[in-house]
Amino acid sequence: MTWITARRSVQLLAGLFCYGFAIGMMIQAQLGVSPWDVLGQGAARQSGIPFGVVTVLIGALVLLLWIPLRQKPGIGTVLNVLLIGPSAEVCLALVPAPEQLWAKVLLFAGGLVLLAAATGVYLGARLGPGPRDGLMTGMHRRFGWPVWAARTGIEVAVLSAGWALGGTVGLGTVAFALLVGPLVSRTMPFFDIRALGPLPEASRPRPRRSGWHCLRR
């Protein structure tokens, strides 16, 4: 195992853990859940299906949207499903919910910034995005949209659908939908593993026609 391969593995695991931990921070802030969780809440209320099951179903449907975008799952996609939930539970067990409004705002802001950084970290490992982040990067590659525009457009659309279905929306939800795209567009180039040198042959992006060409900075 080369040091770059080891670095990619550690970067993937660290990014996914921090991603889940950031979700836990925002939940504990109690200022509003993310747009995807609003959609899950609304769909659960309308269908009567438990929230956890709805979340899995939404993830599966998002993966179907990868097909026209020519996205393919990787080990990071699988680990995204397996690790983010448990790491969020770690945060919920360790970080108490604050009582003061200023503390809630700081906790939410810290969680949002950590989530954006964690997204750049685990995507920068280039071992496969999660279902929702893969939708963002797929739109970026396929249509040439800026990362911030693709992510913000997705979050706003999901938030609108979730709200229409009866999901709970707070100020934190709106802030997440509007700010996560620009923040992620900053962190992705910074943590890109390509900056360390050439990737192994199997990890190099394919030609543009296959949809696996390099992300434009």
Side-chain angles (χ1 to χ4, degrees), residues 4-158:
I4 290 183
T5 302
R7 158 71 187 269
R8 294 173 73 201
S9 301
V10 172
Q11 183 169 325
L12 172 66
L13 295 175
L16 291 176
F17 178 84
C18 290
Y19 193 105
F21 200 90
I23 290 175
M25 291 172 63
M26 289 186 287
I27 291 175
Q28 291 296 71
Q30 300 177 344
L31 293 177
V33 295
S34 73
W36 285 102
D37 289 332
V38 173
L39 177 61
Q41 285 180 335
R45 288 175 180 174
Q46 295 297 323
S47 65
I49 301 174
F51 176 79
V53 177
V54 169
T55 300
V56 173
L57 294 175
I58 290 175
L61 291 175
V62 171
L63 284 177
L64 291 178
L65 295 177
W66 284 28
I67 298 175
L69 296 175
R70 301 176 184 176
Q71 286 279 88
K72 293 183 179 180
I75 185 63
T77 309
V78 177
L79 291 178
N80 182 288
V81 177
L82 297 177
L83 297 182
I84 287 181
S87 61
E89 291 294 332
V90 170
C91 177
L92 294 176
L94 296 178
V95 179
E99 298 292 336
Q100 298 84 0
L101 178 60
W102 64 267
K104 293 176 181 288
V105 172
L106 286 180
L107 184 60
F108 181 89
L112 179 58
V113 171
L114 179 60
L115 184 139
T119 300
V121 169
Y122 98 81
L123 288 179
R126 292 184 173 268
L127 291 173
R132 296 157 184 81
D133 291 320
L135 185 62
M136 171 190 69
T137 56
M139 294 175 67
H140 169 75
R141 292 186 177 111
R142 183 67 171 157
F143 303 115
W145 297 355
V147 168
W148 70 265
R151 183 61 180 258
T152 302
I154 292 170
E155 298 292 337
V156 171
V158 167

Side-chain angles (χ1 to χ4, degrees), residues 170-185:
L171 291 177
T173 308
V174 178
F176 185 99
L178 296 178
L179 296 177
V180 70
L183 288 172
V184 169
S185 70

